[in-house]
Amino acid sequence: MEPAREPVREPPARTRPPPPPAARPAPAPAAPRPRSPAEAEGRGPEALLRRSGSGYEGSTSWKAALEDTTTRLLLGAIAVLLFAILVVMSILASKGCVKCEAPCPEDWLLYGRKCYFFSEEPRDWNTGRQYCHTHEAALAVIQSQKELEFMFKFTRREPWIGLRRVGDEFHWVNGDPFDPDTFTIAGPGECVFVEPTRLVSTECLMTRPWVCSKMAYTT
């Protein structure tokens, strides 16, 4: 007896996968927004926030630019001030007064608002006048009785002063006329010198010390 055969199994039918969904058409690109005249000229929002080649953006950069301009102006003002100070110091140095701490030069005597120089060497009147001129001074011009008393007090060698006869009248070297009611002058000479108790005129070629005077430095 033959063995029973197993029935032949047919393979299951293959199912087809569902077709893929149809692709949706891409949306059409939006039409570009028309540009305003300000944006066309480069003055739109982006241009306001970003300046070409300036290296800064937005309001913070505007502040930085303002601070930079202020700093430059301040530095410029300081430079001008320093230059002016140097010019003033140069002018004062050319006149022999850099700090102007002392009212009178060395070896000069202060009285009132004037500086006086009493020479030691005897010279004629014109030589004494030239010496005073080279030191930005003049032979002493006495303007009051107190100043004359000061001259008497510090004078022991009868020095020349800045008074000289012009014609029939005496004139000070600064051009002021001499007031005979204030001072009296003895002697027939042309140039005047100081004695301990009076003024005396004599020949200008006589040699004697002299007194220079000029205004004191003020700060």
Side-chain angles (χ1 to χ4, degrees):
M1 184 176 181
E2 294 181 1
R5 296 183 179 179
E6 294 181 2
V8 179
R9 297 179 180 179
E10 294 181 1
R14 297 182 179 179
T15 60
R16 295 182 180 181
R24 296 181 180 179
R33 181 175 61 84
R35 302 178 66 186
S36 65
E39 293 175 338
E41 295 179 3
R43 293 184 287 109
E46 294 182 357
L48 294 176
L49 293 177
R50 181 178 64 254
R51 295 185 61 181
S52 175
S54 63
Y56 56 85
E57 295 182 355
S59 60
T60 303
S61 299
W62 282 105
K63 294 180 180 179
L66 181 60
E67 292 177 356
D68 181 67
T69 302
T70 304
T71 302
R72 291 176 182 272
L73 292 175
L74 181 59
L75 292 177
I78 293 175
V80 172
L81 179 60
L82 291 177
F83 178 77
I85 293 174
L86 290 176
V87 171
V88 172
M89 292 183 64
S90 177
I91 295 174
L92 293 177
S94 66
K95 294 184 178 181
C97 175
V98 177
K99 296 182 179 180
C100 293
E101 294 178 350
C104 298
E106 187 177 358
D107 297 331
W108 289 60
L109 182 64
L110 176 66
Y111 176 77
R113 296 182 178 182
K114 290 184 180 181
C115 299
Y116 297 85
F117 174 80
F118 294 84
S119 73
E120 296 292 339
E121 299 178 358
R123 293 288 188 273
D124 61 78
W125 190 90
N126 286 309
T127 301
R129 181 180 184 181
Q130 182 62 31
Y131 177 91
C132 296
H133 179 74
T134 58
H135 289 76
E136 299 182 351
L139 283 173
V141 176
I142 303 174
Q143 297 175 318
S144 65
Q145 186 64 38
K146 289 184 177 181
E147 190 173 5
L148 181 60
E149 293 173 359
F150 163 78
M151 296 289 296
F152 289 158
K153 180 178 180 181
F154 287 92
T155 299
R156 295 294 182 269
R157 300 180 62 188
E158 302 177 354
W160 293 117
I161 60 173
L163 187 61
R164 184 171 184 172
R165 188 192 301 272
V166 179
D168 296 333
E169 298 179 348
F170 286 94
H171 287 264
W172 296 102
V173 291
N174 63 357
D176 292 342
F178 174 75
D179 185 3
D181 294 334
T182 305
F183 308 111
T184 58
I185 301 175
E190 182 179 349
C191 295
V192 178
F193 65 93
V194 176
E195 283 190 349
T197 58
R198 62 178 182 170
L199 302 181
V200 182
S201 63
T202 186
E203 296 298 326
C204 298
L205 295 178
M206 297 288 292
T207 58
R208 59 184 63 255
W210 65 90
V211 181
C212 302
S213 68
K214 61 180 178 179
M215 298 303 296
Y217 295 132
T218 58
T219 55

